[in-house]
Amino acid sequence: MFNLGHSMRAWALTGLLFTPFLNASPWEQKSAPSQHAPDAIGSYANGCLTGAASLPLDGQGYQVLRSQRERYYGHPDAVSFVERLANLAQQQLATHILIGDMSLPQGGRFSSGHSSHQTGLDIDIWLKLADDKLSAQQLSQPEPLSMVNLQQYRLLKSNWDHRHFELVKMAAQDQQVARIFVHPVIKEKLCATEGQGDRQWLRKVRPWWGHHYHMHVRLKCPQGSSSCQPQAAPPAGDGCGAELASWKPQPKPAAPKAATSKPKKKKPKALPSQCVKLLEIKDS
Ligand SMILES: [Zn+2]
């Protein structure tokens, strides 16, 4: 079988760290956090992480999915956030939350999955709730539980329960949280459920495709991380009106126009210099 790990090491050794092959990530060769103070460097989708903490695999109120991929590292703020939310989930919702991807030991780009999660501040939390803890086998090869019928663009009511609303709300009300991404159909449900109460938290909950079986929590830049690039605050208001409606797929026009120009290829952004230096440090 083709050995990807070996071939990536070979690239690294020949100095071809910035290969045009987006699939390869030298960050996956980093097997442990760096020996620096905790620092989230760069932007969520182009950065790295020093002094990472690892989320304990045997914590209270949560379980870690696919730990074999070693994506359970984060800025210490992210680890405390997960522990905080898991405690609330256990006490108030009588369940365990399932933690998906966080970050690699030194952050940076994954070879598969998503382009963010690079600075130790992004956390995927599955919407499948583990009332009974999952077995080791279920954790290593988990089956997602979707909340949305994607073809019909509607909530799967049989999979959704009120605790999902409570869980997203608890996360959004956390001071450290900047944004939470969920599928637009899920945001619609949250908007409808909140009614006339405090709708402030809904502002942080942002619609985005793909997030129908997990929510993606994004934390604010930590205090003291001076090279961390924050994202602009979400637009004012709860985001439940016209903006949300604009996500709903429209019927396709009868005669679609042929594309007139080739889509431009985006030039990859330069990695922050601290991250380049981090890549140059050889692991022992
Ligand atoms: Zn994510």
Side-chain angles (χ1 to χ4, degrees), residues 9 17 23 56 125 143 152-153 179 186 188 217 265 267 270:
R9 256 191 303 281
L17 287 172
N23 279 343
I125 300 172
E143 282 184 28
Q152 296 176 17
Y153 197 75
R179 269 179 165 74
I186 295 178
E188 248 173 42
V217 178
K265 259 195 187 166
K267 219 175 144 192

mmCIF file of all heavy atoms in Angstrom, residues 9 17 23 56 125 143 152-153 179 186 188 217 265 267 270:
data_model
loop_
_atom_site.group_PDB
_atom_site.id
_atom_site.type_symbol
_atom_site.label_atom_id
_atom_site.label_comp_id
_atom_site.label_asym_id
_atom_site.label_seq_id
_atom_site.Cartn_x
_atom_site.Cartn_y
_atom_site.Cartn_z
ATOM 1 N N ARG A 9 7.263 12.521 4.777
ATOM 2 C CA ARG A 9 8.548 12.739 5.450
ATOM 3 C C ARG A 9 9.641 12.957 4.405
ATOM 4 O O ARG A 9 10.506 13.786 4.560
ATOM 5 C CB ARG A 9 8.893 11.530 6.320
ATOM 6 C CG ARG A 9 8.660 11.799 7.802
ATOM 7 C CD ARG A 9 9.260 10.713 8.667
ATOM 8 N NE ARG A 9 8.767 9.398 8.370
ATOM 9 C CZ ARG A 9 7.596 8.931 8.794
ATOM 10 N NH1 ARG A 9 6.795 9.689 9.514
ATOM 11 N NH2 ARG A 9 7.202 7.715 8.489
ATOM 12 N N LEU A 17 8.804 21.686 1.531
ATOM 13 C CA LEU A 17 7.703 21.792 2.486
ATOM 14 C C LEU A 17 6.488 22.451 1.865
ATOM 15 O O LEU A 17 5.356 22.151 2.208
ATOM 16 C CB LEU A 17 8.148 22.593 3.704
ATOM 17 C CG LEU A 17 9.104 21.844 4.618
ATOM 18 C CD1 LEU A 17 9.641 22.768 5.682
ATOM 19 C CD2 LEU A 17 8.392 20.673 5.257
ATOM 20 N N ASN A 23 -2.924 18.335 -0.681
ATOM 21 C CA ASN A 23 -3.250 17.208 0.175
ATOM 22 C C ASN A 23 -2.195 16.932 1.228
ATOM 23 O O ASN A 23 -2.477 16.368 2.260
ATOM 24 C CB ASN A 23 -3.449 15.953 -0.665
ATOM 25 C CG ASN A 23 -4.838 15.949 -1.270
ATOM 26 O OD1 ASN A 23 -5.693 16.699 -0.804
ATOM 27 N ND2 ASN A 23 -5.044 15.150 -2.290
ATOM 28 N N PRO A 56 -7.705 15.893 27.497
ATOM 29 C CA PRO A 56 -7.580 14.547 28.075
ATOM 30 C C PRO A 56 -8.615 13.598 27.455
ATOM 31 O O PRO A 56 -9.764 13.982 27.263
ATOM 32 C CB PRO A 56 -7.871 14.766 29.563
ATOM 33 C CG PRO A 56 -7.606 16.217 29.804
ATOM 34 C CD PRO A 56 -7.937 16.920 28.518
ATOM 35 N N ILE A 125 -17.968 19.875 17.461
ATOM 36 C CA ILE A 125 -18.714 19.098 18.448
ATOM 37 C C ILE A 125 -19.888 18.455 17.732
ATOM 38 O O ILE A 125 -20.692 19.154 17.103
ATOM 39 C CB ILE A 125 -19.193 19.996 19.608
ATOM 40 C CG1 ILE A 125 -17.978 20.628 20.300
ATOM 41 C CG2 ILE A 125 -20.038 19.187 20.608
ATOM 42 C CD1 ILE A 125 -18.321 21.669 21.338
ATOM 43 N N GLU A 143 -20.259 6.902 13.766
ATOM 44 C CA GLU A 143 -21.253 7.166 12.724
ATOM 45 C C GLU A 143 -21.960 8.457 13.049
ATOM 46 O O GLU A 143 -22.556 8.604 14.105
ATOM 47 C CB GLU A 143 -22.265 6.025 12.680
ATOM 48 C CG GLU A 143 -21.701 4.815 11.972
ATOM 49 C CD GLU A 143 -22.721 3.707 11.823
ATOM 50 O OE1 GLU A 143 -23.932 4.014 11.763
ATOM 51 O OE2 GLU A 143 -22.293 2.540 11.785
ATOM 52 N N GLN A 152 -34.317 17.734 1.039
ATOM 53 C CA GLN A 152 -35.563 18.505 1.225
ATOM 54 C C GLN A 152 -35.341 19.787 2.029
ATOM 55 O O GLN A 152 -36.290 20.532 2.261
ATOM 56 C CB GLN A 152 -36.615 17.629 1.885
ATOM 57 C CG GLN A 152 -36.996 16.458 1.004
ATOM 58 C CD GLN A 152 -37.972 15.509 1.688
ATOM 59 O OE1 GLN A 152 -38.611 15.855 2.679
ATOM 60 N NE2 GLN A 152 -38.077 14.298 1.172
ATOM 61 N N TYR A 153 -34.127 20.042 2.454
ATOM 62 C CA TYR A 153 -33.790 21.265 3.181
ATOM 63 C C TYR A 153 -34.742 21.459 4.369
ATOM 64 O O TYR A 153 -35.401 22.478 4.529
ATOM 65 C CB TYR A 153 -33.855 22.472 2.230
ATOM 66 C CG TYR A 153 -33.148 23.708 2.739
ATOM 67 C CD1 TYR A 153 -31.764 23.813 2.735
ATOM 68 C CD2 TYR A 153 -33.879 24.803 3.213
ATOM 69 C CE1 TYR A 153 -31.125 24.952 3.199
ATOM 70 C CE2 TYR A 153 -33.254 25.952 3.675
ATOM 71 C CZ TYR A 153 -31.877 26.020 3.663
ATOM 72 O OH TYR A 153 -31.242 27.160 4.114
ATOM 73 N N ARG A 179 -17.875 32.567 17.386
ATOM 74 C CA ARG A 179 -18.841 32.125 16.371
ATOM 75 C C ARG A 179 -19.117 30.649 16.538
ATOM 76 O O ARG A 179 -18.248 29.900 16.984
ATOM 77 C CB ARG A 179 -18.203 32.240 14.982
ATOM 78 C CG ARG A 179 -18.402 33.533 14.257
ATOM 79 C CD ARG A 179 -17.669 33.451 12.906
ATOM 80 N NE ARG A 179 -18.079 34.486 11.982
ATOM 81 C CZ ARG A 179 -17.732 35.754 12.075
ATOM 82 N NH1 ARG A 179 -16.953 36.151 13.073
ATOM 83 N NH2 ARG A 179 -18.163 36.635 11.183
ATOM 84 N N ILE A 186 -30.574 24.289 10.700
ATOM 85 C CA ILE A 186 -30.448 24.224 12.170
ATOM 86 C C ILE A 186 -30.584 25.624 12.764
ATOM 87 O O ILE A 186 -31.276 25.837 13.751
ATOM 88 C CB ILE A 186 -29.111 23.565 12.584
ATOM 89 C CG1 ILE A 186 -29.106 22.101 12.123
ATOM 90 C CG2 ILE A 186 -28.892 23.682 14.083
ATOM 91 C CD1 ILE A 186 -27.824 21.343 12.433
ATOM 92 N N GLU A 188 -32.288 28.015 11.535
ATOM 93 C CA GLU A 188 -33.724 28.323 11.450
ATOM 94 C C GLU A 188 -34.473 27.780 12.659
ATOM 95 O O GLU A 188 -35.312 28.460 13.245
ATOM 96 C CB GLU A 188 -34.305 27.642 10.203
ATOM 97 C CG GLU A 188 -34.745 28.578 9.108
ATOM 98 C CD GLU A 188 -35.152 27.797 7.846
ATOM 99 O OE1 GLU A 188 -35.839 26.749 7.948
ATOM 100 O OE2 GLU A 188 -34.749 28.239 6.770
ATOM 101 N N VAL A 217 -17.360 25.230 16.699
ATOM 102 C CA VAL A 217 -17.224 26.348 17.633
ATOM 103 C C VAL A 217 -15.877 27.028 17.393
ATOM 104 O O VAL A 217 -14.851 26.358 17.310
ATOM 105 C CB VAL A 217 -17.299 25.858 19.104
ATOM 106 C CG1 VAL A 217 -17.108 27.023 20.066
ATOM 107 C CG2 VAL A 217 -18.626 25.158 19.364
ATOM 108 N N LYS A 265 -7.834 30.870 -10.030
ATOM 109 C CA LYS A 265 -7.263 30.064 -8.951
ATOM 110 C C LYS A 265 -6.780 31.004 -7.861
ATOM 111 O O LYS A 265 -6.081 31.971 -8.142
ATOM 112 C CB LYS A 265 -6.087 29.253 -9.482
ATOM 113 C CG LYS A 265 -6.461 27.823 -9.755
ATOM 114 C CD LYS A 265 -5.225 26.971 -9.931
ATOM 115 C CE LYS A 265 -5.631 25.577 -10.363
ATOM 116 N NZ LYS A 265 -4.481 24.828 -10.853
ATOM 117 N N LYS A 267 -4.473 32.239 -5.079
ATOM 118 C CA LYS A 267 -3.080 32.037 -4.692
ATOM 119 C C LYS A 267 -3.053 31.743 -3.192
ATOM 120 O O LYS A 267 -3.694 32.459 -2.423
ATOM 121 C CB LYS A 267 -2.311 33.332 -4.972
ATOM 122 C CG LYS A 267 -0.916 33.097 -5.525
ATOM 123 C CD LYS A 267 -0.278 34.415 -5.874
ATOM 124 C CE LYS A 267 1.189 34.348 -5.567
ATOM 125 N NZ LYS A 267 1.802 35.664 -5.618
ATOM 126 N N ALA A 270 0.523 33.528 2.190
ATOM 127 C CA ALA A 270 1.805 33.207 2.822
ATOM 128 C C ALA A 270 1.558 32.842 4.285
ATOM 129 O O ALA A 270 0.752 33.462 4.980
ATOM 130 C CB ALA A 270 2.734 34.399 2.726
#
